[in-house]
Amino acid sequence: MEEKKKIIFSGIQPSGNLTIGNYLGALKNWVKLQDKYDCYFCVVDLHAITVRQQPKDLRRRTLEVLAIYLAAGIDPERNTIFIQSHVPTHCEAAWLLNCFTYVGELSRMTQYKNKSQKYSDSGDPISAGLLNYPVLMAADILLYNADLVPVGKDQTQHIELTRDIAQRFNNIYSPTFTIPEGYIPESGAKVMDLQEPTKKMSKSSGNPNSFILIMDPPEVIRRKINRCVTDSIGKVKYSDDQPGIKNLINILIALQGTTAEEVEKKYENLGYAEFKNDVAEAIVQELKPIQDKVKHYLENKYYLEEIYKKGAEKAHYVSNKVLRKMQKKIGFIPPAR
Ligand code: AMP
Ligand code: TRP
């Protein structure tokens, strides 16, 4: 008998244009994992509204993220690709799980602390959604009994919390959820900001020179890498004292599967300019075919529609069974038929 494949769940928010951080930290690994696992890849639009979105932009970006999934090589025949808001079980399960999660746990999350600090500094109110965001993420993962969650390093704390919530529910009632594990890539787990290389590269940064977008044209990629912050040491070394150079080396490793030693050796007698040129070319080479495909998919809205319709049907079918199980264990009366 064929062995049952383990399950993967992951998602990216359509809250901004995707960066090579999203690509190397998440997407590129999903593509590698799709052969061995039963995968659910979601465009997490419900997560995106924890900060205010322009409706028009949210619509455009949601489809663009979907197109990027496909263009990066995620096969819609083998994987379930869907849009989170099309599957209402996520919101329902999130409410239930909210009642098994403590405010203290949520307010200790680093991402919440950073984002809420940013808002209060600028005088903006902090939505309850921002605090509850990891509970919705836990619902995403637990509804599919995912074994593995491939994400960048910044998400490890949310996965720990998901495990705690799942364990708590299982202990109170009886085993219901698989306890998921994070899958953090060896390289590319944390692509750093090009202008402040001690900070994570983020699509929400105000300075466009600090990130490279998956959809940036080649000349923009070249310019941004050319201008990225390095140091005055002048040697291509993989060292914490040279965070800018270290970040570029990490990008090369994630793109080409090379090693830090190989990179150091190759550039032993060469300057930063040459090194930067090569990094830029490696990024351009990787992204150009993806960009062409994204454009192609976005011109075929019906094809995209077909994929997200089929994906949502499958996702709803699978997640609804788990939701019903949760409801039953909690003590809700099943609706009369
Ligand atoms: P988000 O953009 O917050 O929806 O993140 C989507 C995925 O990309 C998550 O798995 C993140 O961990 C990953 N990610 C985002 N930014 C980076 C980065 N700078 N380096 C590596 N992974 C990242
Ligand atoms: N919170 C994740 C992020 O900001 C996105 C996300 C939402 C996610 N639900 C998920 C990632 C479930 C993995 C699994 O990056």
Side-chain angles (χ1 to χ4, degrees):
M1 206 176 78
E2 202 184 322
E3 208 182 316
K4 198 164 170 282
K5 282 186 181 169
K6 288 199 168 182
I7 299 166
I8 276 188
F9 187 100
S10 198
I12 299 180
Q13 301 181 57
S15 55
N17 295 313
L18 302 201
T19 69
I20 51 162
N22 297 121
Y23 180 68
L24 297 176
L27 258 176
K28 195 170 162 69
N29 302 298
W30 300 359
V31 176
K32 288 187 205 147
L33 294 163
Q34 64 181 342
D35 295 329
K36 287 205 358 232
Y37 294 85
D38 183 9
C39 301
Y40 294 83
F41 295 122
C42 184
V43 182
V44 290
D45 55 349
L46 296 169
H47 277 91
I49 63 160
T50 49
V51 296
R52 200 64 65 229
Q53 302 289 336
Q54 287 298 332
K56 178 165 94 351
D57 293 340
L58 182 60
R59 277 191 287 270
R60 179 180 57 78
R61 285 181 180 141
T62 301
L63 286 185
E64 188 173 279
V65 173
L66 194 85
I68 290 176
Y69 285 6
L70 299 173
I74 292 173
D75 177 358
E77 294 299 323
R78 277 185 290 164
N79 305 287
T80 307
I81 304 175
F82 68 105
I83 297 173
Q84 192 183 27
S85 63
H86 290 176
V87 185
T89 50
H90 290 241
C91 283
E92 293 184 59
W95 170 255
L96 303 185
L97 294 178
N98 257 311
C99 301
F100 296 85
T101 309
Y102 308 132
V103 175
E105 290 175 312
L106 292 173
S107 56
R108 275 198 299 277
M109 292 289 116
T110 309
Q111 183 173 312
Y112 172 73
K113 285 198 281 192
N114 291 343
K115 287 199 176 172
S116 56
Q117 182 67 46
K118 217 166 96 186
Y119 294 132
S120 54
D121 287 351
S122 57
D124 290 335
I126 299 156
S127 78
L130 195 66
L131 180 69
N132 287 325
Y133 167 114
V135 185
L136 179 59
M137 176 162 166
D140 295 343
I141 297 168
L142 300 178
L143 275 173
Y144 299 87
N145 277 315
D147 298 283
L148 214 61
V149 185
V151 282
K153 216 176 189 162
D154 61 325
Q155 296 300 315
T156 40
Q157 214 185 17
H158 293 157
I159 292 177
E160 275 307 309
L161 179 66
T162 301
R163 291 166 59 91
D164 290 345
I165 298 171
Q167 236 135 19
R168 192 170 296 150
F169 194 97
N170 286 354
N171 288 342
I172 295 175
Y173 302 104
S174 56
T176 310
F177 300 123
T178 303
I179 309 297
E181 307 240 4
Y183 176 95
I184 316 291
E186 275 167 46
S187 57
K190 196 166 181 187
V191 179
M192 308 307 269
D193 185 298
L194 297 178
Q195 295 301 315
E196 288 176 72
T198 48
K199 259 180 38 187
K200 183 189 89 160
M201 180 184 285
S202 166
K203 57 193 172 197
S204 55
S205 161
N207 177 359
N209 283 325
S210 67
F211 51 70
I212 287 178
L213 300 177
I214 294 182
M215 296 306 286
D216 270 344
E219 62 279 11
V220 174
I221 295 176
R222 292 190 186 106
R223 193 187 65 227
K224 286 181 178 177
I225 292 291
N226 206 346
R227 290 191 189 160
C228 82
V229 168
T230 51
D231 52 68
S232 55
I233 297 173
K235 271 203 156 320
V236 177
K237 273 250 161 241
Y238 193 78
S239 150
D240 288 334
D241 299 333
Q242 298 173 252
I245 292 294
K246 185 175 174 188
N247 187 34
L248 295 183
I249 297 178
N250 271 330
I251 292 175
L252 263 191
I253 295 174
L255 284 172
Q256 302 182 327
T258 168
T259 63
E261 295 73 49
E262 281 169 1
V263 177
E264 285 178 350
K265 192 145 187 294
K266 180 162 176 200
Y267 295 95
E268 210 171 357
N269 299 312
L270 298 172
Y272 287 171
E274 205 138 359
F275 176 55
K276 282 180 166 182
N277 269 338
D278 289 356
V279 174
E281 283 323 306
I283 300 174
V284 168
Q285 259 193 31
E286 177 95 4
L287 294 185
K288 185 70 180 53
I290 297 179
Q291 296 174 350
D292 293 343
K293 286 185 199 150
V294 169
K295 286 178 195 142
H296 167 77
Y297 286 125
L298 287 175
E299 282 162 12
N300 287 282
K301 293 265 159 48
Y302 288 118
Y303 179 65
L304 292 181
E305 226 174 88
E306 225 173 83
I307 287 172
Y308 66 67
K309 179 164 181 275
K310 198 172 108 209
E313 281 166 6
K314 164 95 187 286
H316 189 263
Y317 177 78
V318 172
S319 59
N320 201 38
K321 285 201 224 171
V322 177
L323 177 67
R324 295 284 165 247
K325 218 168 160 184
M326 292 167 72
Q327 291 169 328
K328 197 167 155 208
K329 293 199 185 193
I330 291 172
F332 293 143
I333 293 179
R337 285 175 191 266

